[in-house]
Amino acid sequence: MTEEAGRAPWKARVLTLFPEMFPGPLGHSLAGKALERGDWCLETMDIRSFALDKHRSVDDTPFGGGPGMVMRPDVVDAALAAALVPAADGRPIGPAIYLSPRGRVLTQALVKDLADGPGCVLLCGRYEGLDERVIEARGLMEVSLGDFVLSGGELAALALMDAVVRLIPGVMGAAETLAEESFERGLLEYPHYTRPAVWQDRAVPEVLLSGHHEKINAWRLRQAEEVTRSRRPDLWAAYAKRAEPKRKA
Ligand code: ADE
């Protein structure tokens, strides 16, 4: 285990009706190797094992009518109670997150906050959703991947963990790669090129072949600004606002 001095590895506890979906893609590549090394931990808990009746039911019809089924608050609460027990050293596991299209949209800032903490509990919904009372009673943080509807929270939980795990020291190769990538500076990434220098009559921008690092960095910053300005006015406005006091000074 390659823990950072005295720090327990980052831990995700996933509550799901489909535990076999994990670690899924996170068992491969850099995240998978880090999981094997013990740089992070993944535990799944089957929500159905907290069912209270002999039919092992986890959902029921919605009060007020309407389509679909709703996950029962008593069953989900029992699963959350088990998932939220602190570690042997008394450390809490971290926030309880419910993956839902109604949540705040996942950002790199939230990913960083989670990576800086001890871990989190990830509750994956299915069916029409979860009884609102358990969201309130447990103060769940609702997090969405974006304005689209998945058939359950599992893929969202995998995406969230992927984003967190790659920030754990030792998981990714070069630290500079992280510092320059999209969102780290509030900008989208500049374009990348590799060999061959000319491909299908398209030449790589001259400056990248110059070996002049200052010019290359300046060109990359201009490109990152341009791509952000044209594609993501929301990010551009926030970036420009942050840059403003510096320009005035
Ligand atoms: N579950 C269903 N849709 C989702 C989304 N967009 N984000 C997170 N969890 C979800």
Side-chain angles (χ1 to χ4, degrees), residues 99-101 143-146 148-153 156:
L99 285 317
S100 146
V143 173
S144 170
L145 276 201
F148 48 86
V149 181
L150 298 166
S151 43

Side-chain angles (χ1 to χ4, degrees), residues 185-209:
R185 297 177 297 182
L187 291 174
L188 299 178
E189 253 189 297
Y190 52 78
H192 300 281
Y193 300 89
T194 187
R195 274 182 276 275
V198 180
W199 175 74
Q200 292 193 353
D201 292 334
R202 294 163 191 269
V204 164
E206 244 348 278
V207 64
L208 299 179
L209 309 175

